[in-house]
Amino acid sequence: MRNLRLLRNGGCRPAAATGTPQCFCLGTEPGTVLVGSQHGLVELGSARDEVTREVDLTVEGFMPEDGSGCIVGIEDLPEQECVCVATAAGDILLCSLSTKQVECVGSVDSGLSTMSWSPDQELVLLVTGQQTLIMMTREFEPITEKQLHQDEFGEGKFVALGWGKKETQFHGSEGKQAAHHKQMEVSPTSAWDDGRPRVTWRGDGQFVAVSAVCPETGARKVRVWNRELVLQSTSEPVSGLEQALSWKPSGNLIASTQEKPNRHVVFLEKNGLLHGEFTLPFQKGQVKVNELLWNADSTILAIWLEDLQVDNSNPNSYVQLWTTGNYHWYLKQSLHFGSLEEYQLVSLLWDRENLYRLHVLCQGWHYFFYDWHWTIDHGMGENSQHMANVAVIDGDKVLVTAFQHAVVPPPMCTYELQLQQAVNQVAFHTDPKHSGDMAVLDADNKISVYRYGQSTTSDPTVRLGAVGGNGFKAAVETPYLDKTYRVDVGSSNNGVMNPLGLRFLTWLSDDSFLVVGQGQDAAQSVLHHLTAVPHETEAEEQRLSLRFSVPVDGEVISLCCTPATKTIALQLADRRILKYVWDASAPILEPWRSSSGCAVQFPYPCMQASITRIGDEEVILGLTDRCRFIVNDTEVASNITSFATYNEFLLVTTNSHTCQCFCLKNMPLKDAERKSGDCSPPSSGSCTDSEVARQVFLENAENFIRQIDTVSYINLFFTELKEEDFTKTMYPSLNGSSKAQSYQHPDQKKVNLICDVMRVAMENIDPQKYCLSILTAHVKKSPPELEIALQKVHDLRENNTPDVKAVSAEEALKYLLFLVDVNELYDYSLGTYDFDLVIMVAEKSQKDPKEYLPFLNTLRKMETNYQRYTIDKYLKRYTKALGHLSKCGPEHFSEFLNLVKDQNQYCEALKLYPPSTQEYKDISDAYGEYLVQKQLYEQAALIFARAGIFAKALDAFQDSGSWQQALCMATRLGYTKDKLSSLARSMAGKLVEQRKHAEAAILLEQYTEDYEEALLLLLEGALWEEALRLIHKYGRLDILETNFKPAILEAQKSQLIFLCSQKEAFLRHKSRLQVVRELKEKACESLQDYETPNCPELDLFSETSSVVTASDMSSKYSHSNSRISVRSSKNRRKAERKRYSLKEGSPFEDIALLEVLGENVRAVETVKGDIHILLKQLVLFGYNEQAGTLQQVLEEVLQLVETSIPEIWTPHLQQSSVNPVLGPSSTANSIMAAYQQKRMMTPVVQDPELLIPPKLNKNLQWKLHLLQ
């Protein structure tokens, strides 16, 4: 139900341009267009009426000087910094606007009729004069050449399945005679068709469609080709198919036109078949369609039309904008350019970046652009009868839906207004008492006023819609056409025809209107205050005179008003807000000021604005197209999709699909900004009352039941119960001052609690009367108590009471089946082991008795425990099944064990047998094997050992590395001394591989009695003190000279080499980090110099743009030809390890340097304890010089690290790790604030711990004072 509203328009007419424009394209620089004429190439700037740059192609001889040349295509190539131009003579030129150099990159002898580039500018398609297609790369290397007219259909040819002859097939309402109808002959193209091929690309650039006149039939055909110029499909024969062609960027349809009794826009699929159409509001032969153009997001279809029946004058030109919704096409805007020759259209284009900007070029070098945006035109006021009217523009009709009386889906409506011309704007009366009255501005600059309540006769221009009908009297009042005014302002400006010269129509009072027009300068607007001229005759058409015009220094992009203070707020393109008081004797236009006296300026341009009062201050609210909600000059939320004000209330909808209401009456402005900041539901002030109400309800459940009394109402109450607390969600308090009390029953859910309380109350009052409600209470609980409910049904069947008012078992079961799926209920009944109940449920289901009766009979014949085991296994209740099967005797144990293994029910199975039984041991054996398969060796060993399976326990303990437990198991198995020694030596070898030298030495010394081997292991592991203990224990002082002293000297050298290498690496990385940071800081400063913090382009730094451009659309179908790679887990881990590269110039080099510097610090910190022990041994054996050298080097390295840590991990960097700029808790506001504070130079990392400095342990006393 949206309309297109003109946001701004502009243009230029350069005085120095010569010749006649022939085609144009958009320039790379914003606000520029490139125009091709018979003399060359011209660049126009929309901000000024002059030619900025031009290239004369007649000088080089590429265009004839007599003006007979023609440019058939033009494309700006920003990566090559030039413009590609194709001439009808066949030349393909590259023109540099800066150097004015022209290069001919190719030539076609037969000439060119069309040049079309793909959306990604990777390919260019040429249509030659010999009706051939040439596909070339962006470097103008030919890919292939094909004939335009092909005999075959293409690769997408339909396959005939051979389903009989046509004469035997069904033909619907046409009857069998349709089988004998000859195929309709295709009529040739219209006489006005220029015969030129038309080319259009799909939005992703994967396919291109070409429309050309068939030389055999004279009719047009559309062929679809891929990027390799392989024919995909040919359109079905369409009689009267015309030249216009445009492929919808979203890719599903190709639009063209067809000559019919009413001219139609038709749509073709990629396979060439017709798929939908709509009618243009013209008769046959009245107009011709020159071109069709889709905008970039496929929501608007622009149609360029011209009159056909013209005598001795130029035809009128029109541009219409069409949109669709609910399979209905709406004409939303109509631009009439008149019949003057200089305003005859040359071409029109949609902008690639600004989705709703339309560019128009006329023959007299007039260039216009129009910016549109979506809006909803609605009335709102104090009169409830006319409130909530929504007007939808549909060509020369206005579809009005009165939501107060009837909610009907579009395109239906309550009533429609029929106008003489196409409608462009609708404005509702600003007076709240007349909010249903409408003013309609049409394309002929006439305002038609519709009012309620004064006319006694029905208006023929008003027709009832969905609320009308034969034999029914409509209960809704309709308006009548009161007056029609002609507006003589805005249609022309300084002799320049400007369609839609008036925008933002606002109905101020009975005969007073306000419109915004274009000023003399492109960056200026004019505020026109119009009043009705008193008329003497009873003419149907009156005139609005200009009361006064107020120039505005800036472009007005939105307007809102409030009738209470007769104030209008104007938003300019630079986001300034101006205030205009319309009731003053002289026009007053001044900056909008806040209560502090500061001029208000929106931080971002807002598409919707409104004036309201917050507390005692009148403020202006704004909403951007990116969901930013603004109060005065402060952004208060970034997740608002729409808002509305009514009296003292503000309603907002969020992108999490919630609607929230705020009371602004007694709320200070600061509180309003705080409350709207996160747009989370306000805390409920009535939570205390809700707790009291809940407690009162639970205490008076019996009274509640007696008051309702009706069983069906009570059942409905149960079914609507939810866990949601509606006092906090649906009905929150407006003040939000009170705190919620704790829940009275924390262990119970709300629904379960209410079900239990009401069930007990009903059982006390009359259990027979409320039987169905009691069943509902059981079923509604979570989880449902279906077994109890089934048992109650079974009790009803057993206790057949003669009371006629009592519910029968049949009724109760039928009702239960209404609440619960019958298959689920059947399983629950089977789980009760009551076969009578099972049969009772099965009889009410769709189950075949031949299936369930044999199954039940088989169960009846079984022993009770085995029967219940079978049922539980069927219902997949394996725990219960094991319990029943364990009682069936040892003959069923193998079946028991298989079930345990299949379902991994080992723990439950062990509970069913005493530890002393063989069954317990067998289950433990299977459980241990299962754990070994899962590589849980230690847990498997414990299970084996507990069950006395010591051999398997020994192996499992060895695999887990528990050598102490393995030795215990060896003792339990009675190992001999030699066997125990061999086991110990084997385990010692594995421990050495794990660098557990101390434990390996214990095994060798104590269990193999090989203390020399143990000593060598201790020396290898640098366990100096333990090695000394064994040397002295066994009196082998000779080992001190042969092994011990050389080992500590070698260790001293190794530590020196390690410390020196760490120091060198630390200094190198620290120096590089300083260089990288300086480079990034300079880059950040240059970026901030380029774009100031108040520039709206900084929006790109705070969030991802939601605008879909033509380049975005090009990737929509790219999956068809692209190879999708999936990383394996190994590659993923490898990528994570290499996330930050130390390569110079890499994006995260500073993070990689931080990471490696932290590793340096931690490596040095780790060896302090080892070096302390080594120093003691060196001093003990008189190596004071070596010990002093080692201590001095370590001390220097530690001092270097300690002094460097504050320089490397700066306080600012550490603060960023605590409060990162980007992350799950960051908002658009915080990111923008960080950018403005130059915090964006802080690296954005996925590992914030890298920004935290490593800690140094200063409590470890590692130095020896005797060496100082």
Side-chain angles (χ1 to χ4, degrees), residues 222-237:
V222 179
R223 292 179 172 85
V224 177
W225 311 74
N226 66 7
R227 291 173 71 93
E228 288 76 31
L229 216 56
V230 177
L231 182 63
Q232 301 298 302
S233 61
T234 303
S235 65
E236 62 176 298

Side-chain angles (χ1 to χ4, degrees), residues 512-532:
S512 181
F513 298 89
L514 192 73
V515 291
V516 177
Q518 187 66 33
Q520 294 183 355
D521 191 355
Q524 287 186 343
S525 300
V526 180
L527 208 58
H528 299 298
H529 196 143
L530 309 175
T531 56

Side-chain angles (χ1 to χ4, degrees), residues 839-1021:
I839 292 174
M840 186 174 67
V841 174
E843 287 175 347
K844 297 294 182 182
S845 70
Q846 299 293 325
K847 291 182 179 291
D848 188 354
K850 294 179 181 179
E851 295 180 1
Y852 68 81
L853 283 179
F855 174 65
L856 296 179
N857 291 332
T858 304
L859 291 174
R860 287 178 188 271
K861 297 175 184 177
M862 295 179 182
E863 187 266 334
T864 303
N865 286 320
Y866 197 78
Q867 175 197 85
R868 295 187 174 183
Y869 152 73
T870 307
I871 292 173
D872 289 328
K873 184 180 178 183
Y874 172 77
L875 297 176
K876 298 182 180 180
R877 302 190 304 190
Y878 299 112
T879 302
K880 285 188 175 183
L882 289 173
H884 292 303
L885 188 57
S886 66
K887 301 174 185 177
C888 293
E891 63 272 13
H892 292 285
F893 181 72
S894 60
E895 187 177 358
F896 177 92
L897 193 58
N898 289 333
L899 181 62
V900 169
K901 292 179 180 179
D902 291 341
Q903 303 301 327
N904 298 330
Q905 295 284 325
Y906 298 101
C907 294
E908 297 298 329
L910 288 172
K911 297 176 184 176
L912 299 174
Y913 290 95
S916 59
T917 61
Q918 182 62 34
E919 288 86 353
Y920 186 90
K921 187 173 182 179
D922 292 343
I923 297 170
S924 298
D925 192 5
Y927 191 16
E929 294 292 347
Y930 169 75
L931 293 173
V932 168
Q933 290 178 0
K934 296 289 184 182
Q935 296 184 351
L936 303 172
Y937 299 112
E938 190 169 20
Q939 298 180 43
L942 294 173
I943 293 295
F944 286 136
R946 187 177 66 181
I949 311 173
F950 299 124
K952 291 187 178 181
L954 173 61
D955 294 337
F957 277 129
Q958 284 191 79
D959 292 335
S960 67
S962 299
W963 58 273
Q964 298 95 335
Q965 292 288 353
L967 292 171
C968 296
M969 293 300 104
T971 305
R972 297 292 292 269
L973 289 170
Y975 271 30
T976 63
K977 185 175 182 181
D978 292 342
K979 198 171 182 181
L980 197 63
S981 174
S982 176
L983 175 65
R985 189 172 293 279
S986 172
M987 289 191 295
K990 293 181 180 179
L991 290 172
V992 171
E993 292 175 0
Q994 301 171 9
R995 302 198 60 80
K996 296 180 180 179
H997 296 84
E999 299 177 28
I1002 292 174
L1003 283 172
L1004 291 176
E1005 182 205 359
Q1006 297 182 4
Y1007 288 91
T1008 66
E1009 298 180 356
D1010 187 355
Y1011 67 87
E1012 290 186 359
E1013 185 69 22
L1015 271 170
L1016 294 178
L1017 288 181
L1018 291 173
L1019 293 177
E1020 181 184 341

Side-chain angles (χ1 to χ4, degrees), residues 330-342:
Y330 300 87
L331 172 56
K332 290 297 184 183
Q333 292 289 324
S334 184
L335 288 72
H336 292 188
F337 285 85
S339 59
L340 293 178
E341 182 178 0
E342 61 178 324

Side-chain angles (χ1 to χ4, degrees), residues 194 594 672 682 894 1217:
D194 59 12
S594 62
S894 60
S1217 68

Side-chain angles (χ1 to χ4, degrees), residues 137 615 668 1172 1206:
T137 66
H1172 173 64

